[in-house]
Amino acid sequence: MSTVKTEDQRHLARAIELSRLHMEQGAGGPFGAVIVRDGQVLAEGWNQVTSSNDPTAHAEVTAIRRACQAVGDFSLEGATLYTSCEPCPMCLSSAYWARVGRIVFANTRQDAAQIGFDDSLIYDEIPKPISERIIPMDHLPSLEAKAVFDAWADKDDKIAY
C-alpha cells in the first residue's frame, strides 16, 4: 500500500476516533476532523454544537479555527482536511475560505441524513433566487455601506483574502 494511502487511513482513523470519543463524552454530534500539512498534524476538532451552544462549532470549522491559530495564518494552503463525514455546506465553504488543498472523508452526507443530520435543505436553498428562499431576505442598499466597501478597495495596507 502506498505511503499516501497509509497516511490517509491513519489520519482519517484519528478523525473517526475523535468523533466517537467526543460524542460519547457529550460534546456534540458524531463528527471529528484532523488537519495535516506536510505530514504534521496542525489541529484536531470535533463537534461542539450542543456543548458550546454554537451552531457553527462543527468538527471541521473547529479544526480549521485551531489550525489557523496554530500556524498564525488564515490560509491552510496545501493542507488536507480529514473528516469523519462529508462536510456540510458551511464546513465545505470554510474549507474553501481556508484554502484547504484536499478533503478526505469517511461517511457521506446521505449517511448523515439517515441519522438525523440532513443538509439537503441547505443544498436546495443555495441555488434558489433570494426571493424564493425560506428565510426572508430584504436588500436595503446603503450609501454608508458602499462607502465602507470603497474605502476597503482603496486601502493601501489591507491584507487580501
Side-chain angles (χ1 to χ4, degrees), residues 6-155:
T6 302
E7 287 296 301
D8 284 348
Q9 290 174 336
R10 184 168 64 86
H11 295 304
L12 188 58
R14 177 62 180 159
I16 294 165
E17 180 183 15
L18 290 166
S19 73
R20 178 180 295 280
L21 175 67
H22 293 284
M23 174 198 66
E24 289 175 349
Q25 291 177 352
F31 305 97
V34 177
I35 298 179
V36 178
R37 182 165 58 194
D38 299 327
Q40 178 185 358
V41 174
L42 301 180
E44 298 179 338
W46 49 89
N47 185 285
Q48 297 176 49
V49 170
T50 57
S51 60
S52 67
N53 293 320
D54 179 355
T56 69
H58 289 201
E60 298 89 340
V61 171
T62 301
I64 288 169
R65 289 173 180 160
R66 289 178 177 159
C68 289
Q69 287 291 319
V71 300
D73 196 347
F74 55 82
S75 175
L76 297 174
E77 195 169 336
T80 299
L81 168 61
Y82 295 91
T83 178
S84 62
C85 187
E86 180 180 354
C88 75
M90 177 184 67
C91 294
L92 182 59
S93 297
S94 298
Y96 276 105
W97 277 111
R99 295 166 179 81
V100 167
R102 182 170 168 249
I103 299 171
V104 177
F105 64 93
N107 293 317
T108 67
R109 68 186 197 203
Q110 291 80 12
D111 295 329
Q114 291 178 354
I115 62 164
F117 296 94
D118 191 351
D119 298 326
S120 62
L121 171 70
I122 300 168
Y123 281 105
D124 292 344
E125 285 288 295
I126 290 171
K128 288 182 182 177
I130 290 173
S131 63
E132 295 178 20
R133 292 182 182 159
I134 292 171
I135 297 176
M137 296 176 68
D138 296 312
H139 177 212
L140 296 175
S142 164
L143 292 176
E144 183 57 26
K146 178 69 170 104
V148 173
F149 271 23
D150 291 343
W152 172 261
D154 295 337
K155 187 172 172 49

